[in-house]
Amino acid sequence: MQFNKDFVFGTATSSYQIEGAHAEDGRTPSIWDMFCDTDGKVFEKHNGDVACDHYHRYEEDIAHIKKLGVDTYRFSIAWPRIFPAKGEYNPAGMAFYKKLALRLREEGIKPAVTIYHWDLPMWAHEEGGWVNRESVDWFLDFARVCFEELDEVVDSWITHNEPWCAGFLGYHLGQHAPGHTDLNEAVRAVHHILLSHGKAVELLKGEFASSTPIGITLNLSPVYAKTDSANDQIARNNSDGYSNRWFLDPVFKGQYPVDMMNLFSKYVHSFDFIHAGDLETISTKCDFFGINFYSRGIVEFSAASDFLYKGAYSDYDKTGMGWDIAPNEFKDLIRRLRAEYTDLPIYITENGAAFDDVLEDGRVHDQNRIDYVNMHLQAVSDLNEEGMNIQGYYLWSLLDNFEWSFGYDKRFGIIYIDFDSQERIWKDSAYFYADVISKHKKAIEQQA
Ligand code: FCB
């Protein structure tokens, strides 16, 4: 595999999944603290109270990032640290991210910052959360102080991570916080999340006149039909609409997909939450497009299901999440995005895998994770040969961490965490990734 000299290698995390320090320096609870505390939502009622204790160990973690040799590190900002209460800015919370970004820069590592990675403050939730259109203003207050305080030290901004999860998984499927199961709420939540994205882009480029690149990260999963039958094609179309097009179309085409609006109208009685001008704002041009890729979907027709599809059997090899390992389908996805949606530079802002790691004599021989990462890096390299213009890759994740509803049961890190001692132990995949990066750097030096 081969990458050009400007290609960036990175690794990614998010605030609630690693920081811990849940009640320090003024932080108040987020919807995830509440969700973790609710019976039956998160594996063994695990929570992020301590997580990887990154809030206290960030210097040690930066040393690991440095040792990996990555160019860039993606992390997110915990909103309830910055606004512990409505309208109440907390500089003590912001101080942590300043220290973090500055230390990264001192080490020559570019901070790539996600503004929202799902930890909505409880005060916002109590006023309706993302379902309330005012959430757009609350988010903009949050984005504004992030830009004011951090724009100088941040290399790129990501407004939102995976609106599908924050919106559909949280408000329709109920598997993520806040755990609601109402499509009416979910389409509103998604709309306000996307609108807040567009407005934040306008704010940074307009009022702040900043040249820091800004974009959004979507999780996309190419969907395949079990058979060629007309019914399975309907299933495929609807599943693609629910997972991908409901987000891609507004962001890149300034419209929601009409077929999906019709399908959703069984539950969504009015789309009056879409105000004049909203879709123009949502489709405001960004500087890059972030994609989180993990797997593909395969579906078949199901008359009994709401949207006429259900998951179909797949004989693919799977990760520890039970997700199909699908680097070829990843290629299909990128080609489709180029053909149908966008010319913007693409960054793979997350890719990685959970497996059942075993710590033996101080080592974790995670050949399965090495293979997974290797296949996807190879795919990125192949795609770039086709001219697909992927400019960077962020491995999810730096550390084993709080994997949402799976708690600490699923390990995505390339660095193993002993959650009792907080010891960090490099898995074989970390050595592998460091090696890929150092070989790349040597190759570039030789070319120069
Ligand atoms: C993505 C999330 C990230 C992590 C990975 C495994 O959906 O953005 O926080 O949980 O999945």
Side-chain angles (χ1 to χ4, degrees):
M1 64 181 102
Q2 208 171 301
F3 302 92
N4 72 25
K5 71 171 188 356
D6 299 322
F7 189 87
V8 294
F9 289 94
T11 176
T13 62
S14 87
S15 48
Y16 190 69
Q17 294 181 274
I18 65 165
E19 286 177 358
H22 70 113
E24 260 172 78
D25 296 329
R27 180 187 182 275
T28 55
S30 76
I31 51 173
W32 271 95
D33 298 81
M34 172 270 289
F35 199 64
C36 291
D37 204 32
T38 311
D39 285 336
K41 296 297 183 190
V42 172
F43 178 80
E44 291 185 353
K45 269 188 115 174
H46 289 172
N47 63 49
D49 286 5
V50 179
C52 309
D53 197 31
H54 170 76
Y55 196 77
H56 301 116
R57 294 169 197 262
Y58 72 94
E59 301 218 41
E60 178 187 348
D61 291 337
I62 291 175
H64 287 292
I65 297 170
K66 175 79 183 166
K67 195 171 146 202
L68 281 168
V70 291
D71 307 289
T72 171
Y73 171 58
R74 173 175 177 235
F75 61 91
S76 77
I77 301 187
W79 188 347
R81 293 194 193 282
I82 308 301
F83 280 98
K86 191 175 177 181
E88 226 173 78
Y89 172 52
N90 176 35
M94 183 59 88
F96 172 70
Y97 300 101
K98 267 198 192 163
K99 279 190 305 198
L100 179 63
L102 282 167
R103 276 294 294 127
L104 286 163
R105 289 177 84 86
E106 276 167 21
E107 297 295 349
I109 300 152
K110 297 182 160 88
V113 178
T114 311
I115 302 175
Y116 185 71
H117 200 128
W118 311 349
D119 35 7
L120 185 75
M122 271 309 279
W123 63 256
H125 174 67
E126 279 155 9
E127 297 206 20
W130 289 110
V131 180
N132 183 343
R133 192 175 166 101
E134 284 177 42
S135 58
V136 176
D137 298 325
W138 307 330
F139 178 81
L140 277 182
D141 292 343
F142 172 37
R144 173 183 293 279
V145 294
C146 291
F147 296 157
E148 271 166 9
E149 299 296 323
L150 301 175
D151 190 46
E152 251 177 38
V153 289
V154 162
D155 276 81
S156 55
W157 291 106
I158 293 167
T159 53
H160 281 275
N161 178 69
E162 304 190 351
W164 181 87
C165 290
F168 284 177
L169 206 53
Y171 289 90
H172 180 224
L173 301 174
Q175 292 166 22
H176 272 194
H180 295 187
T181 50
D182 181 339
L183 187 65
N184 248 299
E185 286 193 3
V187 288
R188 284 173 170 75
V190 167
H191 185 68
H192 299 141
I193 289 170
L194 294 178
L195 185 59
S196 75
H197 151 72
K199 292 211 176 210
V201 175
E202 288 176 352
L203 179 68
L204 184 73
K205 291 183 176 294
E207 210 178 304
F208 282 82
S210 164
S211 56
T212 311
I214 186 165
I216 189 169
T217 280
L218 302 182
N219 54 310
L220 300 172
S221 177
V223 188
Y224 298 80
K226 183 180 169 193
T227 72
D228 291 338
S229 75
N231 274 349
D232 281 357
Q233 294 307 317
I234 292 172
R236 193 205 64 76
N237 177 72
N238 292 356
S239 171
D240 178 50
Y242 185 81
S243 320
N244 303 314
R245 288 185 291 116
W246 193 259
F247 303 85
L248 286 166
D249 285 20
V251 167
F252 292 109
K253 300 183 173 171
Q255 62 192 49
Y256 284 107
V258 173
D259 61 327
M260 296 309 293
M261 290 177 86
N262 284 333
L263 204 60
F264 287 171
S265 64
K266 182 169 161 197
Y267 299 97
V268 181
H269 303 301
S270 156
F271 287 89
D272 59 1
F273 58 86
I274 307 173
H275 297 188
D278 283 2
L279 283 153
E280 285 74 16
T281 304
I282 290 173
S283 55
T284 300
K285 192 150 192 230
C286 294
D287 302 299
F288 64 88
F289 179 37
I291 296 166
N292 293 352
F293 179 83
Y294 289 94
S295 189
R296 66 149 188 181
I298 178 162
V299 295
E300 63 187 301
F301 186 79
S302 161
S305 307
D306 265 350
F307 304 137
L308 303 176
Y309 67 87
K310 64 176 185 194
Y313 169 74
S314 153
D315 59 3
Y316 276 30
D317 287 344
K318 296 184 171 38
T319 69
M321 301 296 284
W323 297 345
D324 281 3
I325 300 175
N328 288 326
E329 289 77 357
F330 168 62
K331 291 189 188 177
D332 286 352
L333 167 72
I334 302 294
R335 293 184 190 118
R336 174 198 186 187
L337 294 171
R338 286 304 185 213
E340 292 178 34
Y341 287 101
T342 182
D343 295 329
L344 287 179
I346 286 176
Y347 287 84
I348 305 307
T349 41
E350 287 179 27
N351 174 247
F355 285 105
D356 294 330
D357 296 323
V358 188
L359 179 65
E360 269 172 324
D361 305 326
R363 291 294 295 253
V364 177
H365 300 301
D366 57 341
Q367 187 59 42
N368 37 21
R369 186 174 289 104
I370 293 177
D371 292 343
Y372 180 97
V373 170
N374 192 39
M375 282 188 265
H376 289 82
L377 281 172
Q378 183 63 54
V380 170
S381 163
D382 294 348
L383 286 163
N384 277 341
E385 290 220 351
E386 292 173 28
M388 293 289 144
N389 192 19
I390 301 173
Q391 300 196 348
Y393 175 91
Y394 291 80
L395 206 164
W396 184 274
S397 180
L398 175 68
L399 309 170
D400 290 338
N401 59 45
F402 174 77
E403 182 43 42
W404 308 114
S405 56
F406 299 91
Y408 299 97
D409 190 43
K410 298 293 178 197
R411 292 176 178 270
F412 272 89
I414 52 174
I415 296 180
Y416 185 92
I417 303 272
D418 174 334
F419 288 103
D420 295 322
S421 67
Q422 288 294 343
E423 195 188 341
R424 274 80 168 131
I425 300 160
W426 278 39
K427 301 181 192 177
D428 287 0
S429 55
Y431 292 100
F432 162 79
Y433 195 43
D435 193 48
V436 168
I437 298 167
S438 97
K439 281 190 179 133
H440 163 71
K441 289 197 172 141
K442 280 196 192 115
I444 296 300
E445 274 167 29
Q446 275 163 11
Q447 280 165 28

